[in-house]
């Protein structure tokens, strides 16, 4: 379990599911500006920032090519990293094809699986959340296919103009097909990430389980001293979590797109 120090007056921030690139370039750019403004604000007291998956609606790193756009966000992350603020990225189901760019260019570690941390005197279990818990066997199979090195290599043979356009098309279709389902509260007994958290608790104690993927802000008690936090998204909710060393709260960023216009 990794340990992150938290000096007095510093905080840990968590956000996920920016889905930059969706639903179109203009709307995405407006949302990107809001995210960068949020990063500027939290940088004032941030010890560490966790970005918990689906930063992009699609991301695939060719050997010499990355997707066009996202300059404001990437530049801001590089700046914060250079300032010594810790940043950790988890891949999601929409941006799982990362391959070294964040580590090499931004000095930001990227994780493909959930990780565990001790922050202060609290234990955290953090991951995007896709493919965890019961059910969804079809997606779990597709996830293995998409992450297979041979499949990634075959996709990389497509010219980036064709490959990125094709992937963006299927990404939009996937989000349209599952968006409403992801945003519906299933009840505590049916929330699969809550069920997954309870299963983990049978083996090891964690104070907080932090996930994204659901696009729905949630704060559920999963044990006597354990909570499952879902971070929501920045398409509809603009929510994030903050930990001050004692308390973890789920908050809404008030500088929304409407306020930007």
């Amino acid at each position: 379990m990794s340990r992150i120090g938290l000096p007095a007056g510093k905080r840990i921030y968590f956000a996920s599911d920016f889905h930059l690139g969706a639903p179109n370039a203009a709307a995405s750019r407006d949302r990107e500006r809001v995210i960068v403004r949020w990063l500027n604000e939290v940088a004032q007291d941030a010890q560490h920032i966790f970005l918990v998956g689906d930063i992009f609606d699609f991301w695939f790193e060719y050997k010499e090519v990355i997707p066009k756009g996202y300059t404001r966000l990437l530049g801001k992350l590089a700046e914060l990293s250079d300032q010594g603020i810790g940043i950790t990225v988890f891949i999601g189901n929409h941006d799982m094809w990362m391959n070294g760019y964040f580590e090499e260019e931004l000095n930001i570690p990227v994780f493909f699986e959930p990780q565990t941390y001790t922050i202060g005197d609290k234990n955290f279990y953090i991951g995007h959340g896709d493919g965890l818990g019961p059910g969804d066997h079809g997606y779990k199979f597709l996830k293995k296919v998409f992450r297979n090195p041979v499949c990634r290599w075959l996709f990389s043979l497509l010219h980036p103009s064709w490959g990125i356009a094709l992937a963006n098309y299927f990404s939009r279709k996937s989000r349209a097909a599952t968006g409403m389902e992801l945003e519906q509260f299933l009840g505590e007994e049916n929330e699969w990430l809550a069920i997954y958290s309870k299963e983990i608790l049978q083996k090891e104690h964690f104070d907080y389980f932090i996930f994204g993927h659901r696009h729905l802000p949630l704060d559920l008690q999963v044990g006597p001293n354990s909570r499952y936090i879902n971070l929501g998204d920045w398409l509809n909710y603009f929510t994030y979590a903050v930990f001050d060393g004692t308390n973890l709260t789920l908050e809404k960023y008030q500088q929304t797109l409407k306020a930007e216009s």
Side-chain angles (χ1 to χ4, degrees):
M1 188 177 297
S2 300
R3 179 174 291 275
I4 297 176
L6 189 58
K10 291 292 187 177
R11 297 182 174 189
I12 309 292
Y13 290 90
F14 308 83
S16 73
D17 292 272
F18 297 157
H19 283 275
L20 289 176
N24 54 59
S28 172
R29 194 170 295 115
D30 286 342
R31 191 164 69 257
E32 183 180 10
R33 290 190 179 101
V34 174
I35 293 166
V36 169
R37 181 169 283 108
W38 173 74
L39 287 169
N40 277 328
E41 293 180 13
V42 304
Q44 304 305 310
D45 63 3
Q47 177 72 8
H48 204 104
I49 300 170
F50 287 91
L51 301 179
V52 191
D54 283 356
I55 298 173
F56 310 104
D57 204 51
F58 169 73
W59 181 275
F60 186 93
E61 293 178 25
Y62 291 84
K63 185 176 181 180
E64 303 293 342
V65 176
I66 62 170
K68 181 180 178 180
Y70 320 123
T71 305
R72 294 165 185 81
L73 176 65
L74 294 174
K76 178 54 61 178
L77 292 177
E79 176 187 335
L80 298 182
S81 178
D82 288 346
Q83 290 175 2
I85 295 175
I87 303 173
T88 298
V89 165
F90 288 82
I91 65 112
N93 51 302
H94 280 259
D95 53 11
M96 67 175 67
W97 299 280
M98 293 187 176
N99 192 33
Y101 180 81
F102 271 65
E103 294 95 334
E104 295 164 10
E105 295 294 328
L106 309 179
N107 194 31
I108 293 174
V110 174
F111 292 103
F112 288 71
E113 302 294 341
Q115 301 294 308
T116 60
Y117 300 86
T118 297
I119 307 174
D121 62 351
K122 304 295 185 182
N123 292 335
F124 288 73
Y125 189 102
I126 306 171
H128 183 60
D130 59 310
L132 302 180
D136 206 6
H137 300 294
Y139 170 71
K140 290 175 181 177
F141 172 76
L142 288 176
K143 183 177 179 179
K144 292 180 180 179
V145 172
F146 290 152
R147 288 195 183 182
N148 183 278
V150 174
C151 294
R152 290 182 60 169
W153 175 76
L154 289 172
F155 185 86
S156 72
L157 297 180
L158 292 174
H159 188 279
S161 295
W162 288 93
I164 291 174
L166 180 66
N168 276 328
Y169 170 78
F170 282 109
S171 180
R172 288 191 295 269
K173 294 281 285 185
S174 172
R175 191 162 28 79
T178 61
M180 291 300 293
E181 177 184 345
L182 283 175
E183 294 173 17
Q184 293 176 349
F185 181 56
L186 304 176
E188 291 189 28
E189 69 281 1
N190 296 317
E191 282 288 337
W192 63 85
L193 287 173
I195 295 171
Y196 177 79
S197 300
K198 291 176 182 178
E199 292 174 349
I200 295 296
L201 284 173
Q202 293 178 7
K203 307 171 186 176
E204 185 177 0
H205 172 76
F206 290 94
D207 298 279
Y208 300 106
F209 293 86
I210 309 291
F211 296 113
H213 188 55
R214 286 284 282 112
H215 289 221
L216 185 66
L218 294 171
D219 184 348
L220 302 177
Q221 199 79 23
V222 291
N225 298 295
S226 299
R227 288 158 56 196
Y228 152 50
I229 307 294
N230 197 280
L231 298 169
D233 68 18
W234 287 64
L235 290 163
N236 299 300
Y237 295 103
F238 297 86
T239 46
Y240 63 97
V242 55
F243 178 63
D244 63 6
T246 303
N247 298 307
L248 187 144
T249 57
L250 190 59
E251 302 186 4
K252 179 178 177 65
Y253 187 52
Q254 297 301 320
Q255 191 69 34
T256 62
L257 292 179
K258 184 177 180 180
E260 291 290 296
S261 59

